[in-house]
Amino acid sequence: MTAPLILDGKKLAAQVRLEVAEKTARLKDQRGITPGLAAVLVGDDPASHVYVKNKRQACADAGMASWLHQLPAGTTQEELLDLVDKLNADDSVHGILVQLPLPKHLDTALILDRIDPRKDVDGLHPDNLGLLADGRPRYLPCTPHGVWQLVKRNGISWAGKNVVILGRSSIVGKSLALLLLQKGVDATVTVCHSRTPNPGHYLKQADIIVAAIGQPLWLKADMVKPGAVVVDVGIHRKPAGGLCGDVSYDEVAPLSSAITPVPGGVGPMTIAMLLVNTVESASLAGK
Amino acid sequence: MTAPLILDGKKLAAQVRLEVAEKTARLKDQRGITPGLAAVLVGDDPASHVYVKNKRQACADAGMASWLHQLPAGTTQEELLDLVDKLNADDSVHGILVQLPLPKHLDTALILDRIDPRKDVDGLHPDNLGLLADGRPRYLPCTPHGVWQLVKRNGISWAGKNVVILGRSSIVGKSLALLLLQKGVDATVTVCHSRTPNPGHYLKQADIIVAAIGQPLWLKADMVKPGAVVVDVGIHRKPAGGLCGDVSYDEVAPLSSAITPVPGGVGPMTIAMLLVNTVESASLAGK
């Protein structure tokens, strides 16, 4: 068999970020607007610090503004809600990112729901999920948007394909299903999950598999149809060091016609789509 | 083969409406609240008049209040929005039903979006679709809710089943998919639609089929696995008189283990679920 096409998220994300930089420059020149992202980070989780740093660096690279609101782990619910209210009211802030996970004493849903849906550049506010479900999306959720584009912009059509999504989270599985069912995208979508008795039955027939179940190396070669396209949303630290996804890459890749690497696949696309949404929010501001 | 179980929506809806009547009586006795539904009807569509009349009769039978706001076909957007605002502000109104279709000069989405999500007893406001997508539903959309209950309360479990939904509308297809993917319902869900190249491929493997494509008599026996459960959301007037659904009942029924009749299947359940949501809204009022 020929080697699979590597769906290089790092490369495509760089391209998307260039496009964002161009739009940002136009917004500045033509309307005097600098798109700005406010990141809210509560506590000392080291991974969260790295994620936020990377997102802010990406903003800077694209000529966008960003602000870091770093709060101690003991921040109260009221203090955090007050900050969200302040950012909602601040016209220079076009996107608000509350980095998850939050410390356990905080009600995550309550806080995320408080974000003005027009500044919810993660695309996960119920109002934005609902508009997506209703076929008139405002912002697409970042990871599903990244998955969609990463396949499409590598010349692979979703239309008419048998797509099996592994995982039913609202962040990935369900919102990706809604996106792929949109008119014009036109995939036929199956969602499998931890309570699906025989996921291999569905996977074996899939033209495109999107793995988002959060189980390291879960997808094996015997579940994949030769020639399938395989997208891996998972990212896990291996006991022996290094990273892996939900897919057993080494055995699945030779069977596939196209596959995402981990790292360097969906992850960089997710950040790029956060920037896309923030610039979109800025371009809608005042309209 | 043994005769299929008839999923009798008329009978189950009567049972649900009795339960609603009991809850209504308790709300009146214990808290002095009479659940009330405001129906808004614009123009002279005869079918719409019948639908609204049936819904109001169901309210009356359950001891609930209802009001009819009948407006001329020439009603302006502003007038209709003003009425919605008035009903939103009226504490005696727990549910608002704007009967569709609206005359073409009115922006349906804009008007439905104006309804207070807490009074959106149809469960179709983006805010409510979004909460459903996020796995924490406020009100379930009436038709999907009716489909779910009609199967479940006939002793058939959705858990682990291969469910194929035909149709990707937000009113039925996509919102039913979201409902059936909820934890505790646990179906494996495939959504097929007009752009699915070979729907028979998926249908033939389904344990449960839900047909909601709006094509009379579309589902034929050769697309159905023997023993499948078949739910028909469609309703169409036959040229020769009488009603039919999306399913070719006469040929599919003998193959199925359970099937909904048309009429008398999903239709009556949809109305019953409107009452369920209205009583739920009333019970949440002031909390």
Side-chain angles (χ1 to χ4, degrees), chain A residues 34-259:
Chain A
T34 301
L37 177 73
V40 178
L41 184 54
V42 184
D44 308 310
D45 183 58
S48 291
H49 275 259
V50 173
Y51 290 138
V52 167
K53 193 178 144 231
N54 290 344
K55 289 169 187 174
R56 292 194 67 209
Q57 184 60 52
C59 285
D61 292 346
M64 297 163 61
S66 79
W67 304 271
L68 176 60
H69 296 268
Q70 198 168 336
L71 303 175
T75 299
T76 67
Q77 185 100 325
E78 269 318 300
E79 287 167 337
L80 190 47
L81 290 172
D82 283 350
L83 173 59
V84 170
D85 288 343
K86 212 186 79 185
L87 298 173
N88 283 340
D90 183 341
D91 285 345
S92 63
V93 172
H94 302 106
I96 300 170
L97 168 80
V98 176
Q99 183 66 44
L100 302 183
L102 291 171
K104 287 202 192 307
H105 67 283
L106 297 170
D107 181 342
T108 300
L110 188 77
I111 289 154
L112 296 182
D113 286 359
R114 187 77 154 242
I115 296 173
D116 183 333
R118 288 164 302 177
K119 297 189 179 186
D120 164 48
V121 287
D122 269 333
L124 297 171
H125 191 285
D127 197 47
N128 288 325
L129 286 179
L131 288 171
L132 172 60
D134 204 28
R136 46 188 173 123
R138 178 192 279 132
Y139 306 123
L140 294 174
C142 296
T143 299
H145 193 180
V147 168
W148 175 39
Q149 293 296 318
L150 184 52
V151 170
K152 182 183 165 186
R153 291 182 62 167
N154 274 283
I156 300 164
S157 170
W158 294 92
K161 296 292 170 63
N162 179 342
V163 178
V164 176
I165 299 170
L166 273 168
R168 55 173 163 169
S169 70
S170 53
I171 299 180
V172 185
K174 285 186 287 188
S175 52
L176 178 62
L178 293 171
L179 192 169
L180 297 178
L181 285 169
Q182 282 205 107
K183 284 183 187 169
V185 185
D186 295 335
T188 300
V189 179
T190 300
V191 181
C192 294
H193 47 79
S194 57
R195 300 284 172 165
T196 297
N198 182 7
H201 169 80
Y202 303 90
L203 290 163
K204 197 75 196 170
Q205 302 178 46
D207 302 315
I208 305 178
I209 294 172
V210 182
I213 38 166
Q215 301 283 342
L217 308 176
W218 187 90
L219 188 78
K220 309 291 186 197
D222 62 1
M223 301 170 177
V224 177
K225 178 172 78 170
V229 173
V230 178
V231 178
D232 192 346
V233 177
I235 188 150
H236 312 277
R237 209 164 284 283
K238 285 193 281 193
L243 297 168
C244 69
D246 291 352
V247 176
S248 289
Y249 187 91
D250 291 343
E251 57 175 276
V252 170
L255 267 176
S256 70
S257 63
I259 189 165

Side-chain angles (χ1 to χ4, degrees), chain B residues 39-220:
Chain B
V40 178
L41 185 54
V42 184
D44 308 310
D45 183 58
S48 292
H49 276 260
V50 173
Y51 290 138
V52 167
K53 193 176 144 231
N54 290 344
K55 290 169 187 173
R56 293 194 67 210
Q57 184 60 51
C59 285
D61 292 347
M64 297 164 60
S66 80
W67 304 270
L68 175 62
H69 297 268
Q70 198 169 335
L71 303 174
T75 300
T76 68
Q77 185 99 328
E78 270 318 300
E79 287 166 336
L80 190 47
L81 290 172
D82 283 349
L83 173 58
V84 170
D85 288 343
K86 212 186 77 186
L87 297 173
N88 283 340
D90 183 342
D91 286 343
S92 64
V93 173
H94 303 106
I96 300 170
L97 167 81
V98 176
Q99 183 65 44
L100 302 181
L102 291 171
K104 288 201 193 308
H105 68 284
L106 298 170
D107 182 340
T108 300
L110 187 77
I111 289 154
L112 296 183
D113 285 359
R114 189 75 156 245
I115 296 173
D116 183 334
R118 290 164 301 178
K119 297 190 179 187
D120 164 48
V121 288
D122 269 333
L124 297 171
H125 191 286
D127 198 46
N128 288 325
L129 286 179
L131 287 171
L132 173 60
D134 204 28
R136 45 186 173 126
R138 178 191 278 131
Y139 306 124
L140 294 173
C142 295
T143 298
H145 193 181
V147 167
W148 175 39
Q149 293 296 317
L150 184 53
V151 170
K152 182 184 166 185
R153 291 182 64 167
N154 273 284
I156 300 164
S157 171
W158 293 94
K161 297 291 170 63
N162 179 340
V163 177
V164 176
I165 299 170
L166 272 169
R168 56 173 162 170
S169 70
S170 53
I171 299 179
V172 185
K174 284 186 287 189
S175 51
L176 179 61
L178 293 172
L179 192 168
L180 297 178
L181 285 168
Q182 283 206 107
K183 284 181 186 171
V185 184
D186 294 335
T188 299
V189 178
T190 300
V191 180
C192 294
H193 46 79
S194 57
R195 299 284 173 165
T196 297
N198 182 7
H201 168 82
Y202 304 90
L203 290 163
K204 195 77 195 168
Q205 302 178 47
D207 302 315
I208 305 179
I209 294 171
V210 181
I213 36 168
Q215 301 283 342
L217 308 175
W218 188 89
L219 187 78
K220 308 292 185 196

